[in-house]
Amino acid sequence: MDYRIHLANRMLANKKGSLLGAIMAVSIGILVIHVNFVIFQGLYDAIIRDLSGYRFGDVLVTNREDVITEKSDVFLVNWLERIPYVEAAAPRLSSSASINVTKSGKTIQDFGVPIVGIDPFHDIRVSTVHETVKDGQYVFSRNSIVVGSTIARDLGGVNVGDNLKVKIVNRHGEDAIKRFIVTGIASSPGGQGFDNSVVIHIDTLRDMLDRQKETGQILVKLNDPTKANEVKDLFLRSFPNDDFKVETIEESAEQTLSGFRSGIAMINMIGYFGMMSSAFAVVTIQMMLVSSKTREIGIMRAIGAKRKDILVIFLFQGMIIGVIGAGVGTGFGLSYTFYAKETKMSFQGSLPLQVSYDWSKIIQTAIMAFGLAVIASIYPAIKATKLQPVEAMRSV
Amino acid sequence: MNKIYGEGDTKVHALVDVSFSVKKGEFVLVVGSSGSGKSTLLNMIGLLDRPTNGQVSIDGTNTTTLSDDQISSFRNSKLGFIFQSSNLLTDLTVLENTLLPRNIQHTDQNAMNEAINLLKAVGLGDQMNKRANKISGGQAQRAAIARGLVNKPSIVLADEPTGNLDSVTAETIIQLMKSMAEKLGQTFIVVTHDRHQFGEVDRIITIRDGRAFEGEDPPRKMEIKV
């Protein structure tokens, strides 16, 4: 082993406090970035996950103007499900309704409630809304209704088995009224689900609206979400003359996520500033190390070490600090990520974070921390080379 | 050569027209009272500092024209140092300290064996793997002698090598330096304020008020010998 590496190692090993301090500084810088990533990227991905799972699928097919009338939902679903990347597709239709319930002789009414018509057979293959039904079960028949938890509360505490009267204004402007039996109450963490809506069978909604064969949207779930753009392009190429609008989840969720994305960028920047602070801590600690080794530097220079040898010794120290700090920091960060992922971390009952291991970012952060530790060592190392042997040896 | 520190009112003429030469294999004692300029002279000869004017030539090389890196290499290959306090690196073992000049030189061939032999010769055969701060002052100074010799330098420069030692240990170290000088035919220039500790030596140079005189008799200004 080169004597300079050996000496750098020994000098650091004999200054355990400084070494520990420098390693902690680098590690904490990395940990902050990991924690930021887990929380904010996790939140971002969780919102995408829930928007995709509840409302948009991986790809959403709609009509540019109104509802889909050009092709039947059965045709479109079958066509889409023939694409190898597509796992399932399901139609939905939306409107709004007035709902009233009579409880203990008292009628409670709620107006302008979003109502979603779903195909129970297809929807559970595409969407995860059915998993948010905490009480009872998902829509399974033409007269069953799932009520969002917020609506259930607004209606005075609707329970499974209660009867609801739903009034919708149909396409002719006439009231369509129908009674439903509550089969489930939907409640999603974070409220991205149908907590503020009610869900019924799509054919029932079509009947009430007098919009047979019409579909509001087709949700498409992919077995490989990275192929969303390919599916989108294929669909649009296959139906060039129809007025379809196809969006990937990123496009569908753009409005919700655009502000959030700049927030994440800001938080990431704060994380990187934190790492810069760590670099300043390394500079300070390395300066202390140089100062405490002034006499040794003088001795080495006296017995023939060149300025570059001294430079190399302290740069090696920076590398050692960088390697150990990056290793320990990445270890801490991965432990936190693992914990957050395994415990499905959430804050105060909000939506559970969608935690993932972004290896390129993890490696990039570790390399950046290592680089900063080395860069932070340059100035102290140069200072060390400037010491004159005679003056340095006078230091005690 | 001359060496002047400071400027204006604070100007100190540390060395005044000092000029002498040393033959290969000589054991030279540089004596003088405290503050006379002995250590300054040694720093000039050891290329640890540059004279204000004049030159230091070693083995026919005028060192004043050398760059910083060349001076470092020159120090490493031509000069051995023994300091007042042993100045071993406390992070390394005795053996590693002894090997350090060779490591700096990147001439590792036989270095280990030579260093071990030197340590045995100075009586540290059983201490070589101890950390430098775990041995006594006398042992550290022996290790410093071994380190000063490991590169087979043209000159070994010793600055008050017994200054921090008790009289018994000091006597041992002096005898060790003398015997090594004799055994290896090694040139020694030793700075001391206690001439009597050293007994018989080849030559004595006295420094008084920055001026160098041959022998122990200060009034006679030294003649230049080339």
Side-chain angles (χ1 to χ4, degrees):
Chain A
M1 189 199 287
D2 188 290
Y3 81 96
R4 292 166 294 189
I5 303 176
H6 181 61
L7 194 54
N9 253 324
R10 283 285 181 80
M11 281 181 173
L12 272 180
N14 293 330
K15 287 275 176 193
K16 289 192 176 63
S18 300
L19 177 63
L20 197 65
I23 288 171
M24 287 309 288
V26 176
S27 305
I28 288 167
I30 294 177
L31 183 61
V32 167
I33 289 180
H34 277 252
V35 170
N36 278 350
F37 182 80
V38 165
I39 294 175
F40 292 97
Q41 191 64 44
L43 207 53
Y44 181 85
D45 290 343
I47 292 171
I48 289 187
R49 175 198 64 205
D50 287 357
L51 286 175
S52 166
Y54 301 152
R55 292 176 186 276
F56 302 127
D58 296 315
V59 175
L60 185 69
V61 179
T62 55
N63 185 282
R64 287 188 182 283
E65 302 299 328
D66 190 15
V67 290
I68 300 168
T69 53
E70 302 91 334
K71 304 279 187 294
S72 77
D73 62 327
V74 176
F75 171 82
L76 289 172
V77 165
N78 287 341
W79 189 92
L80 283 161
E81 288 187 346
R82 281 206 300 272
I83 300 172
Y85 302 135
V86 174
E87 193 174 313
R92 279 188 183 172
L93 184 63
S94 303
S95 185
S96 67
S98 297
I99 300 174
N100 66 47
V101 61
T102 304
K103 295 203 89 154
S104 310
K106 191 178 162 194
T107 300
I108 304 167
Q109 194 160 14
D110 200 355
F111 298 97
V113 177
I115 183 163
V116 182
I118 56 103
D119 176 337
F121 175 72
H122 288 101
D123 207 79
I124 57 172
R125 294 165 59 212
V126 173
S127 158
T128 52
V129 167
H130 64 281
E131 292 170 8
T132 68
V133 179
K134 305 296 178 202
D135 191 11
Q137 57 181 302
Y138 202 40
V139 173
F140 59 90
S141 66
R142 297 284 297 257
N143 66 340
S144 65
I145 188 167
V146 168
V147 181
S149 55
T150 309
I151 303 297
R153 193 188 59 225
D154 292 348
L155 288 170
V158 166
N159 296 311
V160 173
D162 286 353
N163 273 291
L164 294 183
K165 199 154 78 177
V166 176
K167 185 173 83 179
I168 298 175
V169 178
N170 71 13
R171 66 190 299 185
H172 310 295
E174 297 160 356
D175 287 347
I177 300 169
K178 185 171 169 60
R179 250 176 209 292
F180 290 86
I181 297 169
V182 177
T183 59
I185 307 293
S187 174
S188 60
Q192 295 287 332
F194 285 168
D195 301 22
N196 296 301
S197 310
V198 293
V199 187
I200 62 172
H201 197 292
I202 191 168
D203 288 338
T204 308
L205 185 58
R206 282 174 178 149
D207 287 347
M208 291 179 76
L209 290 168
D210 194 20
R211 288 180 178 272
Q212 277 77 18
K213 311 265 186 223
E214 290 185 6
T215 305
Q217 51 196 203
I218 306 278
L219 276 67
V220 184
K221 183 180 168 77
L222 305 180
N223 43 35
D224 180 1
T226 61
K227 303 292 184 189
N229 279 313
E230 288 177 43
V231 172
K232 172 185 170 177
D233 293 343
L234 177 64
F235 188 90
L236 289 173
R237 275 202 314 274
S238 303
F239 302 101
N241 299 320
D242 295 301
D243 215 8
F244 288 121
K245 180 181 173 191
V246 184
E247 291 175 316
T248 62
I249 175 63
E250 285 79 15
E251 291 163 342
S252 309
E254 178 57 28
Q255 205 178 344
T256 314
L257 296 174
S258 57
F260 202 85
R261 255 201 305 275
S262 36
I264 289 180
M266 193 76 80
I267 293 291
N268 279 341
M269 201 175 289
I270 290 169
Y272 288 117
F273 276 124
M275 203 180 251
M276 297 287 276
S277 310
S278 303
F280 281 113
V282 173
V283 172
T284 309
I285 291 166
Q286 281 278 60
M287 286 299 287
M288 282 162 57
L289 277 169
V290 168
S291 174
S292 70
K293 294 294 176 189
T294 301
R295 197 178 65 87
E296 281 83 349
I297 293 165
I299 298 165
M300 291 200 60
R301 294 277 287 128
I303 60 177
K306 297 188 175 95
R307 289 185 194 278
K308 75 167 186 214
D309 295 321
I310 305 297
L311 185 82
V312 165
I313 288 170
F314 285 96
L315 287 184
F316 270 133
Q317 288 195 351
M319 287 181 190
I320 293 166
I321 290 167
V323 165
I324 302 175
V328 171
T330 305
F332 283 157
L334 286 176
S335 304
Y336 181 80
T337 309
F338 177 78
Y339 170 78
K341 192 174 172 68
E342 291 306 306
T343 58
K344 294 183 169 46
M345 185 183 275
S346 66
F347 297 99
Q348 296 175 332
S350 182
L351 75 170
L353 302 178
Q354 179 71 21
V355 181
S356 60
Y357 296 94
D358 185 340
W359 290 107
S360 65
K361 197 174 170 68
I362 289 166
I363 292 166
Q364 180 191 322
T365 304
I367 290 172
M368 188 182 286
F370 170 77
L372 278 176
V374 177
I375 291 167
S377 302
I378 291 175
Y379 176 68
I382 289 173
K383 282 284 265 189
T385 66
K386 302 278 186 208
L387 292 169
Q388 292 301 326
V390 174
E391 285 154 24
M393 277 191 298
R394 281 196 200 115
S395 145
V396 179
Chain B
M1 77 173 111
N2 286 277
K3 179 66 183 178
I4 300 167
Y5 291 110
E7 286 175 353
D9 293 343
T10 59
K11 195 154 93 175
V12 176
H13 217 130
L15 294 175
V16 184
D17 296 333
V18 172
S19 180
F20 66 91
S21 61
V22 174
K23 285 182 199 156
K24 185 172 167 53
E26 269 188 321
F27 195 105
V28 180
L29 217 54
V30 178
V31 297
S33 56
S34 187
S36 60
K38 307 185 297 288
S39 294
T40 305
L41 175 64
L42 203 74
N43 288 342
M44 299 299 150
I45 301 169
L47 312 182
L48 297 173
D49 203 351
R50 286 177 186 266
T52 308
N53 55 51
Q55 67 180 57
V56 176
S57 293
I58 299 169
D59 276 356
T61 305
N62 176 9
T63 60
T64 48
T65 57
L66 299 179
S67 68
D68 191 77
D69 272 3
Q70 286 170 324
I71 283 177
S72 294
S73 296
F74 200 88
R75 267 201 304 264
N76 180 249
S77 59
K78 299 284 186 186
L79 302 172
F81 290 93
I82 302 165
F83 302 101
Q84 183 171 6
S85 55
S86 63
N87 275 350
L88 298 179
L89 301 192
T90 53
D91 295 302
L92 301 178
T93 64
V94 171
L95 179 60
E96 287 165 343
N97 265 288
T98 310
L99 274 169
L100 198 55
R102 292 292 289 268
N103 287 334
I104 290 170
Q105 206 175 54
H106 298 291
T107 52
D108 295 340
Q109 221 173 10
N110 285 329
M112 183 67 81
N113 285 337
E114 288 171 24
I116 290 170
N117 288 338
L118 270 171
L119 285 170
K120 282 179 181 166
V122 299
L124 290 177
D126 55 345
Q127 305 288 326
M128 59 180 83
N129 291 317
K130 281 191 177 170
R131 280 270 298 278
N133 58 352
K134 301 289 179 198
I135 56 175
S136 69
Q139 287 172 327
Q141 207 56 307
R142 285 162 185 266
I145 292 171
R147 185 181 66 185
L149 293 169
V150 76
N151 262 3
K152 303 185 184 74
S154 300
I155 311 170
V156 174
L157 302 165
D159 188 4
E160 304 272 12
T162 57
N164 283 351
L165 303 175
D166 61 79
S167 58
V168 177
T169 314
E171 177 59 28
T172 318
I173 293 296
I174 290 164
Q175 290 315 315
L176 181 64
M177 283 196 293
K178 281 182 162 180
S179 73
M180 297 305 278
E182 200 176 321
K183 196 157 52 176
L184 303 173
Q186 181 69 61
T187 310
F188 268 77
I189 299 177
V190 181
V191 162
T192 181
H193 64 277
D194 189 354
R195 183 261 168 275
H196 302 293
Q197 270 189 329
F198 283 80
E200 191 118 334
V201 292
D202 295 333
R203 190 173 164 198
I204 294 173
I205 292 169
T206 303
I207 304 287
R208 176 178 285 177
D209 298 332
R211 294 176 190 278
F213 301 91
E214 187 75 52
E216 288 181 81
D217 184 12
R220 189 162 65 87
K221 190 174 178 185
M222 195 185 79
E223 288 174 13
I224 300 167
K225 292 180 182 174
V226 179

